[in-house]
Amino acid sequence: MKRGLSLLLALMLVIGLALPLAGAIAEDARPTLTVFDFTEELDQYLINNATTIKQMEDDLGVNLEIEVVSGMSTEEKTSTMIASGDYADIMFRVDERMIEAGALLPLDDLLESDGQDVLAAWGDSINKLRYPDDGNIYWIGSPRNRPEEITDPGACLMVQYEVLDKLGYPTIKTLDDVYQMLNDYLAIQPDLNGTPFIPWGIWADSWGYNHTVNNPALWVNGFTDDSNAYVDQQTYDVTYFTATDYFKNYVSFLNKLYLNNLLSENAFITKYDEFNSQVASGRVLAMIYNASLASDSEAALRAAGMPERCYARFPILADESVVDRSNVYCESYDNGVGISTSCSDPALAMKVINYIASLKGNILFNWGIEGVHYDVIDGKRVWKEEVAQKFATDPNYRYQEGIDCLGWWPLYYGSMKLDDGDYACPQNKQAFYGNADDWTKKVLDAYGITCWGDNFDTSGTPTPYGYGWTLVIQAGSDAELALTKADTVRHTEVPTVVMSQTQEEFDANFASMVDKLYNECKINLWEDAMKQAILDRMEIWGGQK
């Protein structure tokens, strides 16, 4: 009897060891695809080990080796990859430079054979992905072709809760209101535990210039994000935005801040990581920014016990005659996920992309796994309380789990609804207030709203060409060279304009900059090319030339 029991235990042990071994062998036997994501804020270790990534790998029977940008900028990594010709099988957040380098496969045939969920998600908007030179589709972006209830805006004025609370929750509509607000608060609270505040936040090094200088000038003047372009909506004539009176009026506001010690003289050389540290320290009182880029810093503030230093979101205008269009969404797609010409298995790569775009993929990467991250209550997905808490207070949690951090993947985001009738994301209008911390609820209550999106009107008419910054100008052309020169000039000259000591000096410096843009950079060549790109896109999209 003892011998039989021993044999049985031995057999069970062998079987037990065999099962993990079989699982390991099965995983090792899976095909492997390499993945590169050009999103700088992703954490490579966490994403490779994220719960949701592992779930997708199991569902598809594939191993993904994910690499992200590290030690250099997205632009530098793109140039390095093109120069070497060494591409991953699947690449996220690629742009037209990869097409021009011959690095990407046309996806039309693969979409027909293995991309049914992608095609279903995009519907009639699929033509908006076509590259103007040859009409092929080379990447799939995050679709924005459904009605959306804005919960948390992109472009906005961000003001610390503490500032609003100390001032009795003032009405803030214009730049003059912002100037008064900052002065009033600093008269009450001059520093943070002995450390000077940074009253107005800017990081203008590299790509931050557009986020914190150029784009705010667009938004306060009632424009959507055409980036470097001011577009006449009747003729589609283009003017380099830095050369316009609209931009001049905004930088005069920055000049006023600077002369009154509300803007750091280091603002124009502040780098991304440094700026994030400034925000996460609680020192930055206000800024015009894309709110999503501050989410990790806000989580760090809450984790550090400073929820009062998180930010309310408001539209902000040059004056009360302007109509806010900062969050009117225009469909246009300048980058997305593509399959490289060196891909070992393009059909399998498309199956991965199709999975992400499917209903299952949208739920997985936005909500997580049912029973682990969310429950279904009365037919609706609801994040578990502990998940919402971790998401709000732990900057690493989203990457560890692979939830709501893959902003450049082909997923629906925001308060759009999926095909099952439920919201695409947990951060929707229905759930926002319930998931908010006490300070956020206090500020929302003070302004009579239940989410920040309530402050914004999104009903404006979109431009017929999408966003100007997504338009393609031929690489190596005189127009592209003119833009490169102009962007270099503005990085040098705009700080000089902002730091002018008198009105006469301000006007002279601005005029000198505009003269350089046209006479040295020949920015008019880019302006003409941009107008043609607008007309070409409208034709592809079904508009009229």
Side-chain angles (χ1 to χ4, degrees):
M1 187 174 187
K2 288 182 179 179
R3 182 182 301 172
L5 182 59
S6 297
L7 288 172
L8 178 60
L9 290 172
L11 181 61
M12 290 175 66
L13 179 62
V14 170
I15 293 173
L17 290 172
L19 287 174
L21 182 60
I25 293 172
E27 188 168 335
D28 288 345
R30 294 175 182 174
T32 297
L33 292 175
T34 57
V35 176
F36 195 92
D37 194 314
F38 288 90
T39 306
E40 293 176 49
E41 58 265 29
L42 285 180
D43 183 295
Q44 181 169 324
Y45 173 78
L46 293 178
I47 286 300
N48 268 292
N49 293 278
T51 306
T52 55
I53 298 292
K54 293 298 182 184
Q55 182 66 55
M56 177 174 66
E57 289 177 323
D58 289 343
D59 288 346
L60 291 174
V62 63
N63 294 326
L64 301 177
E65 293 180 357
I66 304 175
E67 184 180 353
V68 302
V69 178
S70 178
M72 63 180 71
S73 69
T74 293
E75 289 74 18
E76 291 170 331
K77 182 61 180 179
T78 299
S79 298
T80 300
M81 195 175 283
I82 290 173
S84 68
D86 184 14
Y87 305 111
D89 295 318
I90 302 172
M91 296 190 290
F92 288 91
R93 205 178 178 185
V94 291
D95 58 29
E96 66 274 0
R97 287 172 294 179
M98 288 292 183
I99 301 175
E100 292 159 358
L104 299 179
L105 290 174
L107 300 180
D108 299 71
D109 291 342
L110 288 168
L111 285 168
E112 289 298 326
S113 59
D114 295 293
Q116 295 309 308
D117 288 304
V118 174
L119 293 174
W122 283 82
D124 294 338
S125 290
I126 197 71
N127 283 339
K128 294 180 180 178
L129 297 175
R130 297 195 179 280
Y131 189 60
D133 285 2
D134 59 18
N136 289 323
I137 296 171
Y138 290 94
W139 63 60
I140 308 298
S142 174
R144 290 286 182 175
N145 55 358
R146 298 184 178 192
E148 180 176 9
E149 304 164 351
I150 294 292
T151 302
D152 199 14
C156 63
L157 169 69
M158 304 182 71
V159 183
Q160 283 189 354
Y161 298 162
E162 166 74 6
V163 174
L164 299 169
D165 186 63
K166 279 287 196 296
L167 298 179
Y169 299 100
T171 298
I172 304 171
K173 293 183 177 180
T174 69
L175 294 176
D176 286 343
D177 294 336
V178 171
Y179 178 77
Q180 188 65 48
M181 173 193 72
L182 292 174
N183 280 294
D184 290 348
Y185 179 74
L186 290 169
I188 300 171
Q189 182 82 28
D191 56 53
L192 181 63
N193 302 321
T195 303
F197 284 116
I198 300 171
W200 188 255
I202 282 180
W203 72 280
D205 174 74
S206 183
W207 56 282
Y209 176 89
N210 268 8
H211 278 288
T212 62
V213 179
N214 185 84
N215 292 2
L218 286 164
W219 298 329
V220 302
N221 284 291
F223 304 130
T224 52
D225 187 1
D226 282 335
S227 189
N228 296 327
Y230 165 68
V231 184
D232 185 308
Q233 296 301 313
Q234 301 300 316
T235 65
Y236 303 110
D237 289 335
V238 173
T239 305
Y240 187 64
F241 186 61
T242 303
T244 66
D245 286 341
Y246 295 112
F247 184 76
K248 183 179 181 181
N249 290 339
Y250 181 70
V251 291
S252 70
F253 166 70
L254 296 182
N255 174 245
K256 183 178 179 180
L257 295 180
Y258 177 75
L259 292 176
N260 290 276
N261 299 313
L262 300 174
L263 177 67
S264 168
E265 63 182 8
N266 295 322
F268 288 92
I269 58 173
T270 299
K271 297 183 182 298
Y272 181 59
D273 289 344
E274 182 183 0
F275 181 70
N276 285 340
S277 295
Q278 291 173 351
V279 175
S281 74
R283 295 173 59 208
V284 178
L285 298 180
M287 55 191 166
I288 301 177
Y289 201 28
N290 188 314
S292 65
L293 296 177
S295 58
D296 287 352
S297 296
E298 288 189 293
L301 284 167
R302 293 187 180 98
M306 294 191 289
E308 74 281 2
R309 296 291 171 185
C310 292
Y311 295 87
R313 282 81 149 137
F314 302 96
I316 185 66
L317 302 169
D319 59 64
E320 293 198 31
S321 68
V322 179
V323 176
D324 176 46
R325 285 175 50 82
S326 60
N327 284 269
V328 173
Y329 197 87
C330 305
E331 264 197 278
S332 55
Y333 309 93
D334 75 316
N335 58 46
V337 55
I339 300 173
S340 78
T341 49
S342 57
C343 180
S344 58
D345 190 339
L348 181 58
M350 178 53 71
K351 287 183 173 68
V352 172
I353 296 171
N354 191 68
Y355 179 99
I356 296 168
S358 69
L359 176 64
K360 185 174 185 177
N362 271 272
I363 295 172
L364 178 65
F365 292 116
N366 285 324
W367 288 88
I369 299 169
E370 183 175 358
V372 177
H373 302 101
Y374 72 91
D375 296 312
V376 177
I377 301 174
D378 296 329
K380 301 295 182 182
R381 289 181 288 275
V382 178
W383 250 357
K384 289 180 176 292
E385 185 176 345
E386 62 269 24
V387 172
Q389 177 70 14
K390 289 177 182 177
F391 194 88
T393 59
D394 182 353
N396 288 325
Y397 182 73
R398 63 176 65 199
Y399 307 110
Q400 172 186 314
E401 299 300 305
I403 300 172
D404 197 29
C405 65
L406 305 172
W408 303 97
W409 290 34
L411 299 162
Y412 281 107
Y413 284 100
S415 291
M416 288 181 269
K417 291 187 176 180
L418 300 176
D419 290 340
D420 64 357
D422 201 357
Y423 284 102
C425 290
Q427 302 297 333
N428 57 69
K429 293 191 77 166
Q430 181 176 305
F432 187 89
Y433 189 87
N435 289 334
D437 63 81
D438 290 342
W439 259 100
T440 300
K441 288 178 180 176
K442 180 179 179 180
V443 180
L444 291 170
D445 289 344
Y447 286 99
I449 56 178
T450 59
C451 69
W452 303 125
D454 290 343
N455 280 333
F456 295 81
D457 181 5
T458 62
S459 63
T461 303
T463 60
Y465 52 83
Y467 291 130
W469 61 273
T470 66
L471 290 160
V472 177
I473 299 299
Q474 183 180 359
S477 65
D478 290 341
E480 187 191 51
L481 179 61
L483 179 64
T484 300
K485 290 180 177 179
D487 285 351
T488 300
V489 164
R490 73 177 185 181
H491 272 278
T492 303
E493 299 296 321
V494 169
T496 301
V497 174
V498 170
M499 296 179 198
S500 300
Q501 295 299 308
T502 65
Q503 184 63 49
E504 292 74 18
E505 185 181 345
F506 178 89
D507 291 337
N509 285 336
F510 191 86
S512 173
M513 177 179 67
V514 173
D515 181 72
K516 290 178 181 178
L517 291 172
Y518 283 95
N519 293 316
E520 294 181 14
C521 304
K522 309 297 181 186
I523 194 59
N524 57 293
L525 298 175
W526 173 84
E527 292 172 341
D528 293 342
M530 276 291 288
K531 178 177 181 178
Q532 189 59 52
I534 287 171
L535 298 177
D536 290 344
R537 172 174 280 183
M538 289 169 63
E539 185 174 47
I540 291 173
W541 286 13
Q544 298 292 322
K545 274 197 174 185

